[in-house]
Amino acid sequence: LLGISPEMTTAAYRMGDSVTNIATPLMSYFPLVLTFAQRWDPRFGLGSLMATMLPYAGAFLVAGLAMVAAWVAFDLPLGPGVGVHYE
């Protein structure tokens, strides 16, 4: 109804999803990073790792929103024959 292509909707969803991936315990490398961090600081726990990753998640959010907004504003192609808006 808004005239946005499904490909652009998927791209915006993937950008939003990537922001939370770095700060969730479901990230595949989360236990590995936590184990490596505990080598140097045994008191480093789950909360410490999440608190460390939150500024990065915020930076990814700002950068991702800027990229998606620029992509839509300049109507850049998403791939061969795929645009942001329906023709």
Side-chain angles (χ1 to χ4, degrees), residues 6-69:
E7 293 85 5
M8 186 64 216
T9 304
T10 303
Y13 171 80
R14 291 182 65 154
M15 186 283 307
D17 184 47
S18 69
V19 170
T20 59
N21 284 345
I22 194 169
T24 180
L26 297 177
M27 179 180 69
S28 57
Y29 293 112
F30 206 87
L32 181 68
V33 172
L34 187 59
T35 303
F36 284 160
Q38 286 177 343
R39 274 185 175 175
W40 289 279
D41 186 5
R43 296 176 299 134
F44 198 87
L46 183 69
S48 300
L49 183 56
M50 290 184 74
T52 302
M53 294 301 178
L54 280 177
Y56 293 106
F60 286 161
L61 177 64
V62 170
L65 285 175
M67 287 190 329
V68 168

